[in-house]
Amino acid sequence: MRMRFCIGLMLSSLLAVMAARGETVTALRFHCAGTAKLTANTNLTTLNQTLSGPQAVGFQHFALNQLATLLSHSWKTGSNSPPLIDPLLTDLLENESVVAIGPPESILTSFVTAVRVNPQQSQLWNTQLGKLFGGSGGESKNESSAEKHWPRGTTGDFWTISKGNWLLFGQGTELAPIKAEFLQKIGSNDSPAPSLGTNWLEGDLDLALLAPALPEWAKLLKPAQVHIQIAPRGNDLEIRGKATYPTEIAWTPNSWQEPKNLVLTPLISFTAGQGVAAFLQISPQVSNLPDNFLTNQFFGWALGMMPLESYLAWPVPEGTNSLQKLTAELPPFVNPILKNLNKSQVEWQPKMDALVWTGLNVVSPTLSTTRDNQRDYLLLSLFPNPPATKPAPAALWKELETRQNLVYYDWEVTGERLQQMRLLPQMIWFRPGITGNEGSMEGLVAKDEMLGEMSPKIGVTVTEVTRTAPNELFIIRKGPIGLTGFEMVELSDWLSKAGSP
């Protein structure tokens, strides 16, 4: 059980960062070695220790039940079916599997799953599915395989096929070519997909096909095709991705204009980007804001002394003029949104000589001007600048200056940043959809206890995004969990509510 949550994290996070490599019938396709492979890897000390704590194990049980409940809603099998689905998810997550899922219009009725199981597990699948769907509506056998069907009317039949050491489970006929491909490869190679080699997971996802099913924030990404590989590297998981866009993306690198004297220590996270708007689908109202940090360079950082010490700075031609332009254009755009969200607003406060976000629970983020190394910057602060301490080490800036065509860079001490990100939404109270699905109290408590148990000593995670061709990005991440602190908070939040109405 202790590794189920890990696979849930990994496979769910793929929905936000991957896209398919030329497949026209599948929105998502992946090949995973299974969580048992990670559990057996004695080098992954941090990952295994983090996910084996008592609160983490408790949340894994809860999250697995939420996923089973979500499937029961999708399959319309009734409120008593999650216990029947639970052992099937266990097999799928722990063992080697290959999965293909159809495009959004058929995402609940078009999939093919192949899982490597022994004969006893194969029998368990057929027994549990028979109980779920009301008995088998048809069965056929030959020398090498056995197939069962469960009619579901217009939504597409469920079916299983046992062949060799694999059990195939799916719904609908739209992916019949994929089903035939899996069976043919199992017959010739004893596997529906090529060997993973040293990788733990390979996957493909098409953001264009999946757009209707993605959360709103993920729809900000321009549709691309991305291939992802995840592999253990010592104590870390390394994630590599290649995003390919259908047309050339207009983007030009510039010399970095680093605010070296603004970024202080003790530093627990640092982020830099340039021209990221080129890879986003943002509204004209946002993209046309004067001196926009999304179309410019930006630098974000957090200090380790308290959760609110988070900052964002970006260079502007002339600080006072830039702030005056934003003062004229930003409030009319954002204030109607903020009023509906939480009755807050952005307003100019002459005594502070700053734009201030007022009406929040604990803080009043400010946007002001500052200057460093003879350059003007706009500085967004959640907390007043601390007294001067040592600036960030020179090695940090070399990470930017030694990488050509760098679009995005992120470094963090994940354990400490996780605990900050766990508290920040509560302190700022800025969560879109705050009146929507809040999940059960049991899920809220289980999630909070699990996140609170995670050690601040979880090590460093580094993410780099580099433009490698006019229509291509290369993404690499290396870290002990494979996710950033923010991603772990958001994903655990989703898992805690996945089965809620």
Side-chain angles (χ1 to χ4, degrees):
M1 278 296 300
R2 65 179 181 149
M3 292 303 298
R4 292 178 188 170
F5 182 52
C6 176
I7 184 71
L9 293 175
M10 296 302 174
L11 298 187
S12 298
S13 63
L14 289 176
L15 294 176
V17 296
M18 297 191 314
R21 284 184 304 179
E23 295 290 343
T24 58
V25 295
T26 59
L28 169 66
R29 185 165 177 168
F30 65 83
H31 180 190
C32 181
T35 57
K37 192 82 170 180
L38 294 181
T39 305
N41 190 324
T42 57
N43 291 324
L44 295 172
T45 306
T46 302
L47 179 66
N48 283 289
Q49 288 179 350
T50 299
L51 298 178
S52 61
Q55 303 301 337
V57 171
F59 184 76
Q60 290 163 38
H61 282 278
F62 182 85
L64 190 70
N65 182 260
Q66 289 290 293
L67 294 174
T69 302
L70 179 64
L71 287 175
S72 72
H73 294 331
S74 300
W75 295 344
K76 297 179 172 60
T77 53
S79 59
N80 296 325
S81 59
L84 298 173
I85 299 173
D86 190 309
L88 307 185
L89 283 176
T90 299
D91 274 351
L92 179 64
L93 301 181
E94 292 183 351
N95 296 293
E96 183 181 5
S97 61
V98 184
V99 177
I101 300 176
E105 61 269 17
S106 59
I107 198 166
L108 299 181
T109 58
S110 180
F111 68 90
V112 179
T113 299
V115 56
R116 187 187 288 273
V117 293
N118 59 40
Q120 291 76 26
Q121 290 171 302
S122 181
Q123 180 59 47
L124 173 66
W125 276 74
N126 285 310
T127 299
Q128 298 295 91
L129 292 173
K131 293 177 181 178
L132 277 171
F133 304 131
S136 176
E139 184 172 356
S140 61
K141 295 182 178 180
N142 58 40
E143 292 181 358
S144 60
S145 65
E147 183 169 358
K148 292 187 177 183
H149 282 266
W150 292 271
R152 302 296 286 180
T154 57
T155 61
D157 292 358
F158 287 95
W159 51 264
T160 64
I161 301 177
S162 299
K163 187 176 180 66
N165 296 320
W166 293 84
L167 181 128
L168 275 63
F169 169 52
Q171 184 180 18
T173 59
E174 292 172 307
L175 299 185
I178 302 293
K179 175 182 175 182
E181 173 195 332
F182 284 6
L183 290 172
Q184 187 275 324
K185 289 182 177 178
I186 291 171
S188 59
N189 302 318
D190 192 33
S191 176
S195 170
L196 287 168
T198 59
N199 290 330
W200 174 68
L201 183 144
E202 292 189 17
D204 306 277
L205 180 149
D206 192 324
L207 287 177
L209 291 178
L210 273 180
L214 292 175
E216 290 302 316
W217 66 266
K219 295 176 184 178
L220 293 175
L221 301 173
K222 282 186 177 178
Q225 297 183 340
V226 180
H227 177 64
I228 291 290
Q229 297 176 326
I230 302 177
R233 295 285 186 265
N235 185 48
D236 292 329
L237 288 178
E238 183 180 83
I239 303 175
R240 290 175 174 261
K242 184 176 75 171
T244 305
Y245 297 86
T247 59
E248 180 176 337
I249 303 294
W251 181 88
T252 304
N254 294 297
S255 299
W256 288 97
Q257 302 178 55
E258 308 104 320
K260 293 184 178 181
N261 295 309
L262 298 180
V263 182
L264 305 176
T265 57
L267 199 65
I268 66 167
S269 77
F270 173 79
T271 304
Q274 60 174 330
V276 298
F279 304 95
L280 302 177
Q281 300 181 115
I282 54 179
S283 70
Q285 290 173 296
V286 174
S287 60
N288 292 331
L289 287 173
D291 299 318
N292 191 335
F293 72 88
L294 293 176
T295 58
N296 194 4
Q297 294 181 5
F298 66 86
F299 307 88
W301 65 97
L303 306 182
M305 292 178 282
M306 61 183 298
L308 294 175
E309 291 184 316
S310 296
Y311 308 90
L312 180 71
W314 62 100
V316 292
E318 206 286 321
T320 300
N321 288 340
S322 295
L323 187 58
Q324 288 177 348
K325 291 177 184 178
L326 275 176
T327 300
E329 299 189 24
L330 186 63
F333 169 55
V334 300
N335 282 347
I337 301 172
L338 296 177
K339 181 179 179 180
N340 291 330
L341 176 68
N342 56 13
K343 302 187 186 309
S344 64
Q345 65 178 349
V346 172
E347 60 184 9
W348 175 255
Q349 294 195 356
K351 291 183 179 180
M352 299 178 64
D353 202 25
L355 268 176
V356 182
W357 186 3
T358 63
L360 298 178
N361 279 347
V362 177
V363 294
S364 297
T366 63
L367 182 64
S368 59
T369 62
T370 189
R371 190 167 175 81
D372 180 59
N373 196 25
Q374 299 183 342
R375 294 193 190 100
D376 284 356
Y377 293 85
L378 292 181
L379 176 67
L380 178 63
S381 307
L382 296 187
F383 191 79
N385 286 336
T389 60
K390 292 182 179 180
L396 181 66
W397 304 110
K398 289 182 179 179
E399 295 292 337
L400 306 184
E401 297 162 352
T402 59
R403 287 168 170 77
Q404 293 184 347
N405 294 328
L406 185 66
V407 176
Y408 179 86
Y409 176 86
D410 182 74
W411 171 96
E412 70 168 31
V413 181
T414 298
E416 293 188 60
R417 192 59 173 158
L418 165 66
Q419 296 307 325
Q420 283 196 350
M421 298 311 299
R422 176 179 163 229
L423 297 174
L424 273 174
Q426 303 173 38
M427 303 179 77
I428 300 177
W429 194 44
F430 179 63
R431 294 181 68 82
I434 196 163
T435 59
N437 173 22
E438 291 303 300
S440 66
M441 181 58 68
E442 181 185 4
L444 181 64
V445 171
K447 175 193 69 173
D448 194 59
E449 289 180 344
M450 183 269 297
L451 292 174
E453 179 186 66
M454 288 190 174
S455 172
K457 295 182 180 179
I458 294 173
V460 170
T461 299
V462 178
T463 307
E464 300 172 13
V465 181
T466 306
R467 183 176 183 257
T468 49
N471 68 329
E472 182 180 283
L473 291 177
F474 175 69
I475 306 113
I476 183 168
R477 169 179 291 172
K478 193 171 182 180
I481 306 295
L483 299 173
T484 65
F486 172 79
E487 290 165 352
M488 282 190 275
V489 170
E490 289 299 301
L491 189 53
S492 61
D493 185 67
W494 180 84
L495 286 169
S496 72
K497 304 172 184 176
S500 300

